[in-house]
């Protein structure tokens, strides 16, 4: 009888251990990717119209109503200045923002969706016609501004699109996450070598940290900023024939 009880207890312990291991594996399994579907209304735009940018966010076929951030970045073809407007949740995973565009021409819009440890971004061209009926030529999805690299810079034909996302409320001398999302030809730029260079004001001393790719086209690194002030963060990207970089401003309180 005693041996039977010991055997039963042993089998129960093995069963519980197996269940625990299975639950642990499930807990560490990454979630399904977050997907985004963009639409623009009205499809035929005339100068002075109000355009509605809309993106439906889903995960595993279910609407995502708890996105950390959704915004739209838009600009006229050939202009360096970009306008960014936040989106608001309408329900059922749909986020929208409106913008009145007064000048005819060729435009681009990027949606940026940050939700559940994923970031989605994609560039879409659109055209605003004049009230007289003249139709500007449509821009290409992979067209856009070249990056200015300073006095000794160059216009890189291998244009890389950047979305820099530093951690919120970065504290002095505290390890903080720096994240950049990279796109090329409207696709995630994966398997690149990426590093962050940063410096305070006009300081001659620059710090460098290597980034690790945590998802396709998403690169992260941990950096410490030694003092409060206005920093420049330069993102360096290399992959094959691509050798690109872009500066971003970052204020540390």
């Amino acid at each position: 009888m005693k041996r039977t009880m010991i055997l039963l207890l042993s089998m129960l312990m093995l069963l519980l251990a197996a269940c625990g291991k299975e639950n642990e594996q499930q807990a560490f399994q990454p979630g399904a990717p977050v997907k985004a579907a963009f639409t623009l209304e009205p499809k035929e735009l005339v100068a002075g119209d109000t355009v509605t940018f809309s993106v439906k966010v889903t995960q595993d076929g279910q609407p995502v109503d708890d996105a950390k951030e959704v915004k739209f970045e838009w600009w006229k073809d050939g202009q360096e200045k970009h306008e960014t407007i936040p989106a608001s949740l309408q329900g059922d995973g749909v986020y929208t923002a409106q913008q009145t565009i007064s000048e005819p021409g060729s435009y681009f819009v990027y949606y940026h969706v940050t939700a559940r440890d994923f970031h989605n971004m994609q560039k879409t061209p659109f055209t605003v016609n004049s009230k007289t009926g003249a139709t500007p030529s449509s821009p290409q999805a992979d067209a856009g501004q070249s990056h200015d690299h300073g006095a000794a810079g160059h216009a890189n034909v291998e244009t890389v699109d950047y979305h820099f996302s530093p951690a919120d409320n970065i504290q002095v001398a505290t390890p903080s996450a720096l994240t950049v999302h990279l796109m090329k030809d409207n696709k995630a730029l994966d398997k690149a070598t990426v590093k962050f260079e940063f410096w305070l004001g006009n300081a001659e001393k620059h710090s460098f940290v290597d980034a690790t790719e945590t998802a396709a086209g998403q690169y992260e690194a941990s950096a410490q900023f030694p003092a409060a002030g206005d920093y420049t963060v330069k993102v360096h990207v290399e992959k094959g024939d691509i050798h690109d970089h872009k500066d971003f401003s970052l204020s540390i309180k």
Side-chain angles (χ1 to χ4, degrees):
M1 183 69 179
K2 186 176 181 180
R3 291 181 61 185
T4 302
M5 290 295 295
I6 293 175
L7 181 60
L8 289 174
L9 286 173
S10 299
M11 293 176 62
L12 180 61
M13 291 177 66
L14 288 172
L15 180 62
L16 290 174
C19 291
K21 185 176 182 180
E22 182 179 354
N23 291 335
E24 183 180 357
Q25 289 175 343
Q26 290 177 351
F28 284 94
Q29 286 179 351
V34 169
K35 297 182 179 180
F38 175 78
T39 56
L40 179 151
E41 294 290 343
K43 298 187 182 301
E44 298 293 332
L45 283 166
V46 175
D49 282 351
T50 296
V51 58
T52 299
F53 301 125
S54 177
V55 63
K56 184 176 178 65
V57 185
T58 59
Q59 185 179 45
D60 202 20
Q62 300 300 312
V64 173
D65 289 342
D66 59 352
K68 181 180 179 181
E69 182 181 54
V70 179
K71 59 186 179 182
F72 298 98
E73 174 188 355
W74 67 277
W75 68 99
K76 191 174 183 180
D77 188 17
Q79 290 184 345
E80 292 188 4
K81 184 180 179 181
H82 294 197
E83 301 288 342
T84 301
I85 52 177
S88 57
L89 174 65
Q90 303 303 310
D92 198 29
V94 176
Y95 298 79
T96 66
Q98 293 186 321
Q99 178 69 48
T100 300
I101 301 179
S102 58
E103 295 183 8
S106 299
Y107 289 82
F108 296 95
V109 59
Y110 249 127
Y111 67 73
H112 296 280
V113 175
T114 304
R116 301 178 183 177
D117 295 327
F118 289 90
H119 180 85
N120 292 56
M121 55 188 284
Q122 189 169 30
K123 181 165 60 178
T124 301
F126 66 98
T127 300
V128 177
N129 299 317
S130 68
K131 293 183 179 180
T132 61
T135 303
S137 58
S138 299
Q140 299 298 314
D142 59 351
Q145 81 286 7
S146 62
H147 297 295
D148 180 9
H149 298 288
H154 59 279
N156 191 344
V157 294
E158 299 287 350
T159 302
V160 177
D161 291 306
Y162 299 72
H163 180 65
F164 178 54
S165 303
D168 297 329
N169 303 317
I170 295 178
Q171 302 296 316
V172 171
T174 302
S176 303
L178 300 179
T179 303
V180 66
H181 305 268
L182 304 175
M183 301 280 286
K184 173 71 177 69
D185 294 335
N186 224 15
K187 298 179 181 178
L189 180 61
D190 61 356
K191 300 178 181 178
T193 299
V194 178
K195 67 174 59 178
F196 296 98
E197 174 188 3
F198 57 94
W199 64 94
L200 176 62
N202 296 318
E204 294 184 1
K205 181 180 179 181
H206 292 197
S207 299
F208 294 83
V209 290
D210 293 327
T212 301
E213 187 171 14
T214 55
Q218 175 177 301
Y219 301 84
E220 297 182 6
S222 179
Q224 292 191 52
F225 298 88
D230 294 326
Y231 285 79
T232 300
V233 179
K234 184 188 292 290
V235 183
H236 296 267
V237 180
E238 294 187 13
K239 180 181 179 181
D241 294 333
I242 299 175
H243 298 270
D244 203 61
H245 53 81
K246 187 174 182 180
D247 292 352
F248 297 90
S249 298
L250 180 61
S251 182
I252 307 299
K253 304 298 184 182

